[in-house]
Amino acid sequence: MSKFRLAPTAALVGCIVLAACATTTTSPTASATPPVTKSEVAPLPPGLDPFAAPTPFPSTYQPLPSVPTAIINADILTPEAAEIPRGTVVMSGGKILAAGADVAAPAGARIIDAHGRVVTPGIIDPHSHLGVYASPGVAALSDGNEATDPNTAQVWAEHSVWPQDPGFAHALAGGVTTLEILPGSANLFGGRSVVVKNVAATTVQAMKFPGAPYDLKMACGENPKRVYGDKGRFPSTEMGNVAGYRAAWIRAREYLHKWDDYRAKAAKGEKADPPSRDLQLDTLAGVLRGEIRIQNHCYRSDEMAQMIDIAHEFGFHIAAFHHASESYKIADLLRREGICSVTWAEWYGFKMEAFDGIEENAAMLQRAGACVTLSSDDANLIQHLNVEAALAMAAGNRAGLAITRPEAIGWITLNPAKALGIADKTGSLAAGKMADVVIWSADPFSVYAVPDQVFIDGGLAWDAHDRAYQPRSDFLLGQPAAEGAR
């Protein structure tokens, strides 16, 4: 044993030598051993990581050419303020610079004298099927419902949009500057929507609203149970609908958990195999991650309440209920939940779930403090959404609800922008927003009013008196019956 012991002096020397070694090892001038790092994880091959490229079909939208413009002597009707007689709206660089009574036209700006006319924000339709149910209405252009399975969350409406649909120009002539194109309501999960600027284009990417979030179309009620019940398939009842939603969200939660677990292991340098990518679950997981919003076709108030419970169960939020004929019955609940209602003025009673629709629906929601907007769901109605707002306002005022004109114009401008998550960009004449503007020939709540001029991002997109600014689909070119058509 003694031969392994050091004498006191030897031990001290050993300690000094060891200390010196330690000092030498940590010296910045010495060659040091590189620190141990966690192993690098190679990125997945393109297309296999669902969250690496959340927008694989990016917008290529370019604003129309524009020059600084001042619209003077206009009666200004916007949802965020009282009406302004003989006011001025200034646009420059594609944005609203100012709108008000004491706004001066900048030097060098193009001047448009709108004396006797009304200026509003551009109309926004939050529920359209233009492009996916294009005109003419033939089977070859019926691309809005992938009615082959109750859950088709994997499909995207933009992959069906035909930019040559003549309906886009007809809507533009009605003052519509932005619209959300949705898949149909045959399925529990119908697929993703797309928000577009209403400009003439040859590709849908050139129409896509920059930065607009994606929405997932869901449907409750009669449509899915009828479509699949008639085929002898699940679901065929309301309870089958609800079971189908919940089962899908469970799968989506599990899918998201697998990806989260994979990323956590990869971040620590641990060996991990990525889950197999699933396009259907990509969309549902995007909702759970807060990246994709829900637009829910739903007529009855009891079904809306059930959908809210499902949203609470799985931790997502419903942006809006569409058609929403019975929203007035649960206005307080919708206000508390921050859910918009996308409805009509007079469409009701055409099937059982629409039986309790009333003309005062929009006005009652407005007075309850809930978000409400009007929409078309129709290639003809989209040309007359200003009249739809007038009808809904008149019904509310007959009922003593005292709906103001700024509130009513908000139903087709600012409120739909809120429902689509783009209210910070458009929907009013506030400074800094997109210069989406309509100059009306008369009071826009008159059945005789038509847009004289429509601006999108400050560029002239439509002029009722100049055929050079009346875009027409290539489909119509050379067709005599279409000559002169508005």
Side-chain angles (χ1 to χ4, degrees), residues 157-212:
E158 65 197 79
H159 300 148
S160 280
V161 171
W162 186 42
Q164 296 300 310
D165 184 354
F168 288 118
H170 297 159
L172 182 62
V176 175
T177 56
T178 299
L179 55 154
E180 178 169 53
I181 301 170
L182 293 150
S185 52
N187 303 322
L188 302 177
F189 299 89
R192 298 196 200 194
S193 66
V194 62
V195 179
V196 300
K197 304 282 285 197
N198 195 10
V199 295
T202 55
T203 69
V204 69
Q205 289 91 337
M207 301 175 72
K208 286 179 70 173
F209 192 114

Side-chain angles (χ1 to χ4, degrees), residues 371-406:
C371 171
V372 59
T373 171
L374 300 172
S375 69
S376 71
D377 193 24
D378 180 78
N380 293 317
L381 185 57
I382 196 172
Q383 303 173 52
H384 309 288
L385 284 172
N386 60 309
V387 177
E388 190 79 351
L391 292 169
M393 177 174 62
N397 289 341
R398 286 194 299 270
L401 295 172
I403 299 300
T404 68
R405 288 163 58 85

Side-chain angles (χ1 to χ4, degrees), residues 253-265:
R253 272 288 171 207
E254 292 172 345
Y255 182 70
L256 187 57
H257 175 72
K258 289 177 182 177
W259 276 103
D260 289 344
D261 184 58
Y262 162 73
R263 294 191 188 286
K265 290 179 178 178

Side-chain angles (χ1 to χ4, degrees), residues 29-66:
T29 60
S31 62
T33 303
V36 176
T37 60
K38 56 190 176 185
S39 61
E40 294 294 328
V41 179
L44 296 177
L48 295 187
D49 186 339
F51 309 118
T55 309
F57 307 98
S59 170
T60 59
Y61 171 79
Q62 294 294 323
L64 297 170
S66 65

Side-chain angles (χ1 to χ4, degrees), residues 106-122:
R110 175 179 59 180
I111 303 297
I112 298 175
D113 190 341
H115 178 68
R117 296 182 289 170
V118 180
V119 171
T120 71

Side-chain angles (χ1 to χ4, degrees), residues 37 52 54 87 95 99 107 115 118 150 155 192 220 263 318 361 427 448-449 451 462 480:
T37 60
K95 305 291 184 183
H115 178 68
V118 180
V155 304
R192 298 196 200 194
C220 60
R263 294 191 188 286
I318 297 169
N361 189 21
Y448 299 108
W462 170 265

Side-chain angles (χ1 to χ4, degrees), residues 173-370:
V176 175
T177 56
T178 299
L179 55 154
E180 178 169 53
I181 301 170
L182 293 150
S185 52
N187 303 322
L188 302 177
F189 299 89
R192 298 196 200 194
S193 66
V194 62
V195 179
V196 300
K197 304 282 285 197
N198 195 10
V199 295
T202 55
T203 69
V204 69
Q205 289 91 337
M207 301 175 72
K208 286 179 70 173
F209 192 114
Y214 277 112
D215 290 329
L216 169 62
K217 170 73 173 290
M218 293 181 65
C220 60
E222 293 180 21
N223 286 13
K225 71 173 186 174
R226 170 182 52 81
V227 168
Y228 294 98
D230 286 353
K231 297 176 181 179
R233 295 185 56 190
F234 175 93
S236 64
T237 63
E238 298 284 355
M239 58 187 174
N241 286 355
V242 173
Y245 307 132
R246 298 179 75 204
W249 289 119
I250 289 170
R251 290 194 300 273
R253 272 288 171 207
E254 292 172 345
Y255 182 70
L256 187 57
H257 175 72
K258 289 177 182 177
W259 276 103
D260 289 344
D261 184 58
Y262 162 73
R263 294 191 188 286
K265 290 179 178 178
K268 293 186 290 186
E270 298 177 8
K271 179 176 173 56
D273 293 325
S276 296
R277 187 174 182 186
D278 185 310
L279 292 177
Q280 184 182 103
L281 295 175
D282 283 356
T283 294
L284 298 181
V287 174
L288 298 178
R289 286 161 59 94
E291 298 165 355
I292 300 173
R293 304 158 75 255
I294 294 290
Q295 304 289 340
N296 198 154
H297 163 116
C298 212
Y299 285 81
R300 282 176 17 194
S301 57
D302 60 314
E303 293 175 352
M304 294 181 214
Q306 288 172 339
M307 297 305 295
I308 291 170
D309 284 344
I310 293 169
H312 290 171
E313 179 182 12
F314 292 98
F316 62 88
H317 180 256
I318 297 169
F321 286 118
H322 287 240
H323 310 326
S325 298
E326 295 185 12
S327 281
Y328 66 95
K329 297 183 180 181
I330 54 168
D332 289 347
L333 173 61
L334 297 174
R335 184 193 68 244
R336 290 196 304 271
E337 292 288 330
I339 299 175
C340 290
S341 294
V342 178
T343 189
W344 302 290
E346 296 186 310
W347 284 22
Y348 59 91
F350 50 89
K351 54 182 176 176
M352 282 304 302
E353 62 187 1
F355 190 77
D356 276 355
I358 60 173
E359 293 179 324
E360 298 83 4
N361 189 21
M364 291 175 70
L365 289 162
Q366 181 76 44
R367 280 294 155 265

